[in-house]
Amino acid sequence: MQELPKGYEPADVEPRWYQFWLDQGVFRASVAPDDQRETYVIPMPPPNVTGSLHMGHALMGAIEDVLVRRARMQGKNTLWQPGIDHAGIATQTVVERQLKREGLSRHDLGREAFLARVWQWKEQSGGRIGEQMRVLGCSADWERTKFTMDPDLCVSVREAFVRLYEEGLVYRATRLVNWDVDAQTVLSDLEVESEEGVQGELYEFAYQVLDADNAVGLSELVVATTRPETMLGDTAVAVHPDDPRYTHLHGKKLRHPFLAREIPIITDPILVDMSFGTGAVKVTPAHDFNDFATGKRHGLEELNILTLDGKMNELTGEFAGLDRFVARKAVKARLAELGFERGSKPHMMTLPRSQRSGTIVEPMISTQWFVKTQPLAEPALEAVRSGKTQILPEEWVKTYEHWLTNIQDWCISRQLWWGHRVPAFYCDKCGHVLVTRDEHPTNCPACANGELRQDEDVLDTWFSSGLWPFSTLGWPKDNVALERFYPASDMETGYDILFFWVARMMMMGIHFMGEPPFKRILLHGMVVDETGDKMSKVKGNTIDPLDLVYGANFEQVVSKALPGASAGEALNKFRKAYPSTAQMGAGFPAYGADAIRMGLCSYSPQAKRIALSPKRIEGYRNFCNKIYNAVRFALGHVGDVELSGQPTAAPRLLVNRWILSRLAKAIEGCNRGVDEFRLDDASGALYHFFWDELCDWYLEATKPVFISGSPADQSETREALAHVIETALRALHPFMPFVTEELWQRVPKPAGRPVTIALAPFPTVADGRLDAEAEACFGTLTRAIGAARSVRNEHDVHPGSQVPVVLRVRDNAELDRLRSELGLVQFLVKTEGEPTLELTGGPRPPGFVVSVAGDVEVLVGLRGHVDPSKETERIERGIKKLEKDAVGLAKRLQTPSFIAKAPPEVVAEAQATLDSLQRQIAQLIEARGLIEELK
RNA sequence: AGGCGCGUAGCUCAGUGGUAGAGCACUACCUUGACACGGUAGGGGUCGUUGGUUCAAUCCCAAUCGCGCCUACCA
């Protein structure tokens, strides 16, 4: 075994161990028929095939890997099911953009050639995220990786569609839908995002009212609109039936200024709000959801005035061929010209935008496939209400319920080429619609016609994702994996796809498999920059997780964060987004995967925004180094000690008893945290145990033992140290797999451990040994040591020089307890010889300064070092602090109602605390009186 | 408009009905034989505001101000 270098270098370590785990098949889920182990399953949210790793993936990977690795160490048959999503619109858009650079469109290639091109691109770059997740140490069963367009998953999708169709839960209908004029496809409600607070205008113009003889009369009706161009599709104007301003117009007609049409005036109390605008609403049933509903109520004609790419169509006369926004201006100009313009005012509005293309979405009448959601939503709601599926953090339960309760039917067809083709075939001869599992049906079952035309559309990506927990296991075919790994244990993902994905998996899973697809739904927040802004290429505030792993200078970092911008501008934006980088040099050092994972896990899952701070990652890089050096220290002392695996007999030495007790508490905290999906608590418990307790106290305390302890003490301490280190590494492994494996391989281990820490048992409380007495006693000791160090520090005693110390305690029992620990105090405080131990109360030796630490009085000999004015100040400060507490406490204890009504133990505790405070104050006051003697 | 959530140390955020916590930043001292990616000691908060419940409120309730997100709608 090689000598360990002084600092931890993740780059040298990480790839080696990852390959080792792969070679050992550590991540493989077992489908062996005789495997009786409990299972633990997480379906990994499949990243888009287009994507490359971003911080959100890293967060997901870090969290899920902790859950999975711990379960694996607990001996469970673990499946972390990875995969890739074909991501219909997103992928098609990317490839179309590539084509555009070559001067081509998908139509130039034709459907088949275009799809070949997408597949080719998928083969090239589809595995990228998986590779990047391996760099982070993610222990998914990569051999089971699935792609949503794999042949077996295509079978699943067709099966699901056909079954739903046969059950009447999938249907075809003509409706007003959300149309993306850029991508030229319909979108589901969820794919439409609203942009709030857009400054628009409310434009008013007049329609001329027709007289009884259909001639243009003198009166007019003024309507207000934010979309003047849609007046070309107006088929009514509505007023409120109770609006006195317009009563005389009921039943009359209006003349369209440009088109040879008459428009009825209708009354509608639902659509019209009398107080808004002019109280008269133009009705465009084919291009507005409310108007559509109004049209249905009044039997109005639905006049489509737009082409699929957002231009005015042939029905719009002189405006035909104009883009919708150009047409808006043109219509206004013509209205003004004709004298019908009646002014405008600014108006704040919300614009519906396509999630993918960003273009403003048009309501458009179209024939599409829909899923009838209500019958599916009910059981999905019930599963959560009954607790069969639990959602954490719980605050999301209401959001989930609200959405599923108000759910609309789901439009699942898309006018794209990349995706699962709708398995519906049309017979043009007899008009029969055939929905079938058969990929290439040959004859129409109704008329035996041999020419069937398949539906041109593909399915919404989320339709196939909704089947993920069972389609990846081979459904609809029965097999061991499906039987064994459905339902999954946990579904862990970002809250942003709670509706898109999680709710739909719940609906589909319950419907097809008869039970919910997972026992728990765990949701994490969105990774944002240090100032709380969403990460985006536009803002130039993205960080490539791998730049944190491998290190990168800021020029590299910002060239990716804000491509195309000047280096200076990009760097400026980046520094603003991450103020903590001001304290860094030219770039990120190589923090390593462990640091990033631990950092990401340390953020609270309750937080909706996870403000990523590189400085915080740096803190965990330091922690890696701390672990590494602590083990390096231990290795120098433990030798080839033999470990039994469990601490059976209680150690005799206080420090050893204490650290074993703390170890038990840390493991308990870690396990509880992971169980409750509080990885911040779990990682925190281990972090503080390792650094604050193991390193800062225990390792320091073992030094005097190893330097000058008795052989028995040394032997016991060697064993305890080796045990604690080996156990702590196992506990840390799910969070920091690389550094722990690297070290664990070198550390003494009990017999029977497997070849890798990844398969070693995860610690339980029984690996430690709870010992309240040792904790109390060591607590006294640390307080006393702290007090003595305080005095040294505040009097500028050089750390190298030794000072005499006297410890005074209140009773003989305490005296006995502390007697054996004097060597430790001597070492940690650097006292001159062993400290003297005595009962409180005797006269203070001259030249000694007092510091109180609870019930221990610490006298530090400072002759020659002491500065009386500083000492006065120190004592005064101490008294003041204690008095402040004491006064508050005394006040409370004098309140009769407190004594009468508070629980007795609370009163007793307060009284005891007060007594102690008063004793300490008295000691300090005495010390203050003796300051002059110090000189 | 409805729903959810937030407002705690300079910054980012935990937390609890019983005398306020972490990381980073800050101050002083220290290169001591695991680690300067380190150690020791320290400074810093009337827990948004106002009421109420309670023996006791940062925590529970109500109102209010500020902020964020989601859903729906906006002629």
Side-chain angles (χ1 to χ4, degrees):
Chain A
M1 193 83 45
Q2 279 180 355
E3 185 89 347
L4 287 170
K6 199 172 169 186
Y8 176 59
E9 292 295 340
D12 300 340
V13 169
E14 293 176 353
R16 210 171 63 228
W17 289 117
Y18 201 85
Q19 191 55 49
F20 178 72
W21 296 324
L22 289 179
D23 294 343
Q24 296 291 327
V26 169
F27 308 157
R28 230 175 260 149
S30 161
V31 285
D34 57 341
D35 195 322
Q36 299 294 314
R37 290 177 299 163
E38 189 186 335
T39 59
Y40 181 79
V41 183
I42 295 188
M44 184 195 292
N48 286 0
V49 64
T50 51
S52 73
L53 192 79
H54 56 60
M55 271 299 165
H57 297 124
L59 176 67
M60 175 266 283
I63 293 173
E64 291 176 23
D65 201 34
V66 168
L67 300 175
V68 166
R69 280 184 185 267
R70 187 187 67 141
R72 189 181 292 119
M73 290 175 77
Q74 287 172 330
K76 294 177 187 164
N77 183 3
T78 301
L79 170 61
W80 189 9
Q81 171 66 55
I84 304 166
D85 195 294
H86 67 278
I89 297 187
T91 308
Q92 178 160 328
T93 309
V94 169
V95 177
E96 281 190 281
R97 214 177 295 144
Q98 287 176 0
L99 285 175
K100 205 173 170 187
R101 280 198 287 273
E102 298 164 27
L104 295 170
S105 80
R106 68 178 152 125
H107 300 283
D108 296 327
L109 269 68
R111 189 162 189 150
E112 213 164 302
F114 178 77
L115 287 179
R117 173 93 184 220
V118 183
W119 275 106
Q120 181 199 339
W121 188 76
K122 182 258 168 191
E123 295 308 326
Q124 266 172 31
S125 61
R128 199 165 61 207
I129 290 192
E131 281 156 30
Q132 292 168 318
M133 291 195 69
R134 279 167 245 213
V135 171
L136 289 174
C138 295
S139 67
D141 188 351
W142 300 108
E143 291 163 22
R144 297 188 65 96
T145 299
K146 293 288 182 187
F147 179 51
T148 48
M149 299 252 290
D150 282 344
D152 48 340
L153 273 78
C154 292
V155 171
S156 304
V157 168
R158 277 200 300 275
E159 177 71 26
F161 185 94
V162 173
R163 276 204 210 173
L164 289 171
Y165 180 78
E166 287 167 353
E167 292 159 345
L169 293 174
V170 153
Y171 63 93
R172 200 159 177 255
T174 303
R175 296 225 173 125
L176 197 62
V177 296
N178 304 298
W179 187 263
D180 182 326
V181 299
D182 247 32
Q184 294 194 37
T185 178
V186 65
L187 302 172
S188 72
D189 296 345
L190 277 178
E191 287 163 306
V192 180
E193 292 178 338
S194 43
E195 183 188 354
E196 281 177 53
V198 182
Q199 186 58 252
E201 70 164 2
L202 195 57
Y203 177 84
E204 295 182 1
F205 70 90
Y207 274 118
Q208 292 174 291
V209 180
L210 292 175
D211 288 340
D213 55 355
N214 275 2
V216 174
L218 292 175
S219 54
E220 62 178 32
L221 182 52
V222 178
V223 295
T225 177
T226 55
R227 303 196 52 191
E229 76 282 9
T230 61
M231 60 85 72
L232 297 165
D234 283 357
T235 51
V237 169
V239 295
H240 197 281
D242 305 332
D243 192 336
R245 289 175 294 180
Y246 300 123
T247 320
H248 64 290
L249 294 177
H250 291 183
K252 294 238 164 112
K253 288 186 172 175
L254 303 164
R255 201 187 97 168
H256 198 286
F258 311 136
L259 304 167
R261 267 211 326 267
E262 288 176 3
I263 298 173
I265 296 173
I266 59 171
T267 59
D268 193 292
I270 299 171
L271 179 70
V272 183
D273 171 0
M274 278 189 272
S275 62
F276 189 91
T278 61
V281 187
K282 57 188 278 309
V283 183
T284 321
H287 295 289
D288 181 279
F289 286 97
N290 284 314
D291 293 4
F292 183 77
T294 308
K296 289 290 182 209
R297 284 197 292 275
H298 295 268
L300 299 176
E301 193 184 351
E302 291 153 4
L303 269 188
N304 178 32
I305 56 163
L306 286 173
T307 60
L308 295 181
D309 59 350
K311 295 194 169 69
M312 309 312 286
N313 70 11
E314 70 287 351
L315 293 184
T316 60
E318 62 185 292
F319 302 100
L322 295 181
D323 175 83
R324 50 191 170 147
F325 301 115
V326 178
R328 180 173 303 172
K329 285 191 188 128
V331 165
K332 280 164 68 174
R334 282 290 281 148
L335 286 168
E337 211 177 295
L338 295 172
F340 294 134
E341 190 172 272
R342 293 292 177 271
S344 75
K345 40 186 142 171
H347 178 63
M348 291 303 271
M349 51 190 210
T350 307
L351 285 179
R353 286 189 182 276
S354 163
Q355 186 192 37
R356 279 296 150 197
S357 69
T359 191
I360 295 172
V361 167
E362 284 296 337
M364 199 91 89
I365 289 176
S366 180
T367 303
Q368 303 288 345
W369 290 93
F370 293 86
V371 171
K372 198 172 179 181
T373 41
Q374 216 207 322
L376 299 170
E378 282 299 328
L381 277 167
E382 182 49 33
V384 169
R385 284 188 188 133
S386 70
K388 271 201 92 166
T389 298
Q390 188 192 5
I391 299 180
L392 287 177
E394 272 176 27
E395 58 185 271
W396 291 107
V397 171
K398 279 187 188 167
T399 312
Y400 174 87
E401 291 212 354
H402 182 258
W403 190 73
L404 278 176
T405 312
N406 299 293
I407 193 168
Q408 302 289 312
D409 280 0
W410 174 18
C411 178
I412 51 167
S413 44
R414 296 289 181 275
Q415 287 64 54
L416 304 172
W417 288 351
W418 177 242
H420 294 278
R421 191 117 173 225
V422 175
F425 299 81
Y426 306 103
C427 174
D428 289 330
K429 213 165 170 187
C430 72
H432 183 75
V433 178
L434 172 64
V435 171
T436 171
R437 292 166 178 82
D438 189 350
E439 210 175 342
H440 304 288
T442 48
N443 291 94
C444 171
C447 71
N449 171 25
E451 281 181 36
L452 291 170
R453 183 171 52 81
Q454 183 168 11
D455 197 302
E456 292 293 319
D457 293 350
V458 301
L459 293 171
D460 182 3
T461 299
W462 297 104
F463 187 86
S464 55
S465 325
L467 314 175
W468 191 245
F470 47 98
S471 65
T472 51
L473 299 173
W475 183 85
K477 265 187 251 155
D478 273 335
N479 67 85
V480 178
L482 186 61
E483 169 76 15
R484 186 169 288 175
F485 299 126
Y486 189 97
S489 318
D490 290 333
M491 163 49 55
E492 200 285 333
T493 189
Y495 72 78
D496 55 329
I497 50 176
L498 177 59
F499 304 145
F500 275 110
W501 194 41
V502 179
R504 280 150 179 184
M505 281 189 289
M506 286 292 284
M507 296 194 284
M508 298 294 204
I510 295 171
H511 187 72
F512 289 113
M513 298 296 295
E515 62 179 317
F518 10 79
K519 297 182 188 104
R520 299 197 303 176
I521 295 166
L522 311 175
L523 297 167
H524 62 247
M526 300 293 109
V527 182
V528 296
D529 72 20
E530 247 176 326
T531 67
D533 276 350
K534 207 169 150 182
M535 287 195 188
S536 80
K537 291 276 175 198
V538 182
K539 288 187 191 133
N541 61 351
T542 56
I543 292 183
D544 180 344
L546 297 193
D547 282 348
L548 295 174
V549 175
Y550 296 130
N553 65 47
F554 287 136
E555 276 159 40
Q556 269 172 273
V557 171
V558 301
S559 72
K560 272 185 277 182
L562 198 62
S566 80
E569 187 204 347
L571 191 59
N572 238 332
K573 281 196 172 180
F574 188 81
R575 293 271 196 191
K576 231 176 234 164
Y578 298 95
S580 77
T581 58
Q583 292 161 350
M584 297 177 175
F588 297 128
Y591 293 134
D594 288 333
I596 289 142
R597 294 167 56 109
M598 190 76 173
L600 289 171
C601 287
S602 73
Y603 288 91
S604 167
Q606 318 282 89
K608 287 196 179 153
R609 294 164 162 268
I610 291 172
L612 183 87
S613 167
K615 202 69 189 154
R616 185 154 167 173
I617 305 297
E618 188 165 296
Y620 287 101
R621 185 275 312 257
N622 296 351
F623 182 50
C624 289
N625 195 244
K626 193 75 182 173
I627 295 171
Y628 177 84
N629 276 293
V631 174
R632 214 160 61 92
F633 166 82
L635 287 175
H637 292 285
V638 294
D640 51 0
V641 64
E642 276 186 30
L643 290 181
S644 63
Q646 298 290 317
T648 44
R652 290 174 308 104
L653 293 186
L654 177 66
V655 278
N656 292 332
R657 288 167 58 199
W658 174 76
I659 197 66
L660 286 176
S661 187
R662 297 308 303 163
L663 176 66
K665 292 258 175 74
I667 292 166
E668 189 188 14
C670 172
N671 272 321
R672 190 177 48 240
V674 178
D675 288 340
E676 292 172 357
F677 191 50
R678 289 303 305 254
L679 299 194
D680 54 335
D681 289 344
S683 60
L686 297 177
Y687 178 94
H688 290 294
F689 167 72
F690 203 97
W691 199 314
D692 302 346
E693 295 175 338
L694 180 59
C695 290
D696 288 353
W697 286 104
Y698 183 65
L699 293 189
E700 294 305 317
T702 61
K703 286 176 184 176
V705 178
F706 289 132
I707 292 167
S708 60
S710 70
D713 286 352
Q714 290 198 356
S715 160
E716 177 191 292
T717 303
R718 257 202 299 277
E719 205 174 311
L721 173 59
H723 171 78
V724 169
I725 291 281
E726 199 264 345
T727 307
L729 288 175
R730 283 185 286 128
L732 281 162
H733 179 257
F735 298 90
M736 317 178 82
F738 295 108
V739 68
T740 49
E741 180 80 281
E742 170 77 2
L743 297 170
W744 187 79
Q745 293 288 344
R746 297 162 186 266
V747 122
K749 290 178 274 289
R753 287 278 192 260
V755 292
T756 165
I757 190 174
L759 295 175
F762 193 80
T764 66
V765 176
D767 281 290
R769 185 183 189 91
L770 290 170
D771 189 335
E773 192 192 79
E775 293 210 22
C777 187
F778 201 76
T780 305
L781 213 52
T782 56
R783 272 195 302 277
I785 290 168
R789 283 168 166 173
S790 253
V791 170
R792 294 186 57 127
N793 246 296
E794 288 180 31
H795 286 287
D796 297 329
V797 178
H798 191 274
S801 62
Q802 299 177 340
V803 289
V805 165
V806 179
L807 298 183
R808 292 178 162 183
V809 294
R810 288 175 58 215
D811 55 53
N812 286 312
E814 192 73 357
L815 216 56
D816 289 341
R817 273 196 290 273
L818 291 183
R819 186 166 292 127
S820 54
E821 309 305 324
L822 295 176
L824 183 59
V825 178
Q826 178 184 2
F827 184 83
L828 293 178
V829 183
K830 275 231 166 70
T831 64
E832 191 181 285
E834 274 198 359
T836 312
L837 189 60
E838 59 189 41
L839 287 176
T840 314
R844 194 177 55 164
F848 277 69
V849 157
V850 171
S851 183
V852 293
D855 287 340
V856 185
E857 194 179 349
V858 182
L859 307 186
V860 184
L862 286 178
R863 201 183 288 282
H865 289 289
V866 73
D867 175 344
S869 63
K870 260 190 188 164
E871 178 60 9
T872 310
E873 201 185 303
R874 188 183 73 82
I875 298 267
E876 288 294 348
R877 210 160 359 105
I879 292 175
K880 220 166 153 187
K881 215 170 182 176
L882 291 169
E883 270 182 344
K884 197 180 139 210
D885 293 346
V887 165
L889 214 48
K891 224 180 201 169
R892 198 134 56 94
L893 277 161
Q894 280 160 17
T895 313
S897 52
F898 172 72
I899 298 166
K901 295 195 179 175
E905 65 271 18
V906 171
V907 178
E909 197 191 316
Q911 187 60 57
T913 309
L914 182 60
D915 291 348
S916 169
L917 286 173
Q918 280 168 346
R919 268 197 307 276
Q920 294 175 44
I921 291 166
Q923 284 164 353
L924 286 178
I925 286 172
E926 186 214 342
R928 185 173 57 186
L930 297 170
I931 281 175
E932 284 310 304
E933 290 176 23
L934 288 168
K935 286 177 188 170

